[in-house]
């Protein structure tokens, strides 16, 4: 049986860890698991019989990105699936957010994903095959207060992935955007800095931020189930791989609600929309 090589970023905790744990136990997968610090992937040791590579990777460090991709390619002779999972959050009102935090989040969630993908695509193009799984969020489709910059990163991931899909679908390469709602990972807790509103006009949002922090690890979503679904889609349904994969009831409800309302709005505005073209083009 031909093994598929998976390279997954951010496998220390959360979705990444669940993906790594399940991939490590399959006999048809080579796994390149990554963490920012050494010793964080020891949970994989018991499953390692030569099919696992553990690599130090901070996706904001270009030399480490190059090294992770090169290690996967050298050790396993290619990369079949890249999972851009590494990411973090940030809560704060748009006006009071710390822009250094917001920019760092873009470095990880957007530019890290971009760097990983640009290093991997030449390998996949040469193979004429591959799957790129990009972690977006329901926050890449639907906006909440206090998450303006997180949404900015995830809407960016959606847009960038859409263009990649258009450019590489003729080359045997597919993309899948994963769009979870709340899952029991470290995201809402230690992985999201929070700036509490100080302005009277924004006090109502302090509770939203606090509730999210308190709710960490009590969300409805089970990351082990999410990992199993992602692996099943890629390994068993690559021919019909969904370009968007909302995960969790809240994600599915909000995605359907948003697009149903948007569709109606676009239809209602159709006459006005068309009237903006030059007369000879109408
Ligand atoms: N959990 C949710 O409710 C939810 C919902 C929608 C989308 N997501 C997305 O799911 C993805 C995974 O997050 P998670 O929920 O599993 O949270 P998590 O448990 O906090 O895991 C995030 C992982 O990303 C790693 N990471 C952070 N910065 C990194 C960097 N610069 N380079 C490499 N790795 C880095 C973390 O490493 P360290 O352990 O070293 O910090 C950690 O292992 C993220 O893209 C997140 O936005 C999560």
């Amino acid at each position: 049986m031909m093994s598929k090589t998976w390279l997954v970023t951010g496998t220390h905790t959360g979705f990444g860890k669940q993906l790594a744990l399940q991939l490590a136990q399959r006999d048809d997968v080579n796994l390149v698991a990554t963490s920012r610090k050494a010793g964080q992937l020891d949970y994989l040791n018991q499953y390692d019989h030569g099919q696992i590579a553990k690599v130090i990777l901070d996706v904001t460090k270009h030399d480490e990105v190059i090294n992770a991709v090169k290690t996967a390619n050298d050790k396993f002779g290619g990369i079949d699936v890249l999972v851009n999972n590494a990411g973090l959050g940030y809560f704060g009102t748009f006006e009071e957010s710390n822009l250094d935090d917001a920019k760092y989040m873009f470095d990880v969630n957007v530019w890290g994903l971009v760097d990983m993908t640009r290093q991997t695509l030449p390998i996949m193009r040469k193979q004429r095959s591959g799957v790129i799984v990009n972690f977006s969020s329901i926050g890449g489709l639907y906006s909440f207060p206090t998450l303006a910059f997180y949404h900015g990163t995830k809407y960016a991931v959606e847009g960038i992935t859409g263009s990649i899909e258009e450019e590489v679908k003729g080359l045997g390469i597919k993309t899948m955007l994963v769009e979870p709602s709340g899952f029991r990972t470290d995201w809402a807790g230690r992985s999201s800095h929070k700036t509490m509103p100080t302005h009277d006009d924004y006090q109502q949002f302090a509770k939203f931020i606090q509730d999210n922090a308190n709710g960490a690890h009590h969300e409805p979503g089970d990351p082990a189930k999410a990992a199993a679904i992602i692996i099943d889609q890629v390994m068993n349904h690559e021919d019909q791989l969904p370009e968007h994969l909302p995960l969790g009831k809240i994600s599915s409800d909000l995605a359907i609600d948003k697009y149903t309302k948007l569709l109606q709005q676009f239809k209602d505005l159709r006459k006005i929309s068309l009237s903006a073209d030059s007369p000879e083009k109408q």
Side-chain angles (χ1 to χ4, degrees):
M1 189 193 320
M2 276 285 287
S3 282
K4 287 212 183 267
T5 298
W6 287 61
L7 167 54
V8 186
T9 66
T11 59
H12 175 213
T13 55
F15 290 114
K17 180 175 183 178
Q18 293 306 323
L19 281 165
L21 270 171
Q22 292 176 34
L23 290 166
Q25 294 174 67
R26 293 180 66 110
D27 55 12
D28 55 358
V29 164
N30 297 316
L31 171 64
V32 182
T34 74
S35 63
R36 289 196 282 180
K37 292 188 190 130
Q40 292 181 322
L41 305 179
D42 289 346
Y43 66 86
L44 292 171
N45 290 351
Q46 59 181 310
Y47 309 111
D48 188 4
H49 46 84
Q51 91 291 16
I52 297 176
K54 293 186 279 185
V55 181
I56 297 294
L57 171 64
D58 179 328
V59 296
T60 66
K61 294 183 177 159
H62 186 57
D63 53 337
E64 292 185 7
V65 167
I66 290 174
N67 178 57
V69 172
K70 187 175 177 330
T71 302
N73 196 36
D74 289 354
K75 189 167 162 77
F76 299 120
I79 299 173
D80 298 297
V81 188
L82 168 66
V83 185
N84 283 307
N85 160 74
L88 59 149
Y90 175 72
F91 287 82
T93 63
F94 174 76
E95 275 195 69
E96 295 194 275
S97 284
N98 176 331
L99 291 187
D100 287 337
D101 278 334
K103 285 177 187 173
Y104 177 68
M105 181 171 56
F106 270 86
D107 285 343
V108 179
N109 294 8
V110 180
W111 295 113
L113 170 148
V114 165
D115 202 7
M116 286 299 299
T117 308
R118 283 168 56 113
Q119 293 304 317
T120 304
L121 270 173
I123 295 166
M124 291 184 169
R125 280 193 294 106
K126 199 166 151 213
Q127 295 168 174
R128 284 294 192 263
S129 68
V131 175
I132 298 164
V133 178
N134 282 343
F135 265 77
S136 172
S137 163
I138 185 56
L141 298 173
Y142 197 102
S143 299
F144 297 94
T146 76
L147 284 163
F149 297 103
Y150 182 68
H151 292 314
T153 68
K154 295 302 186 180
Y155 278 68
V157 167
E158 296 262 338
I160 288 167
T161 307
S163 279
I164 296 171
E165 170 73 25
E166 291 306 310
E167 291 171 9
V168 301
K169 65 183 176 191
L171 306 175
I173 303 166
K174 298 193 169 203
T175 66
M176 180 167 76
L177 283 156
V178 180
E179 294 149 342
S181 40
F183 275 68
R184 291 176 191 180
T185 71
D186 289 357
W187 182 84
R190 72 167 180 105
S191 294
S192 291
H193 281 192
K194 285 117 192 145
T195 300
M196 286 302 183
T198 59
H199 202 294
D200 283 351
D201 287 343
Y202 295 133
Q203 276 315 310
Q204 56 179 312
F205 300 118
K207 183 173 171 351
F208 181 84
I209 296 176
Q210 199 54 56
D211 285 352
N212 268 280
N214 296 344
H217 287 280
H218 301 286
E219 296 91 342
D222 176 347
K225 289 188 173 175
I229 292 168
I230 293 164
I231 294 168
D232 178 55
Q233 288 296 323
V234 174
M235 297 299 277
N236 303 324
H237 304 284
E238 193 186 325
D239 285 350
Q240 292 94 34
L241 199 68
E243 282 176 43
H244 295 260
L245 180 63
L247 290 175
K249 180 173 189 303
I250 292 173
S251 179
S252 178
D253 284 353
L254 292 180
I256 290 170
D257 178 60
K258 172 159 178 181
Y259 278 89
T260 305
K261 284 184 181 148
L262 267 183
L263 182 63
Q264 194 52 51
Q265 264 181 41
F266 293 150
K267 283 183 174 169
D268 293 347
L269 287 167
R270 182 141 172 96
K271 246 176 132 175
I272 294 174
S273 301
L274 299 195
S275 72
D277 286 340
S278 304
E280 71 275 13
K281 297 283 182 190
Q282 280 179 10

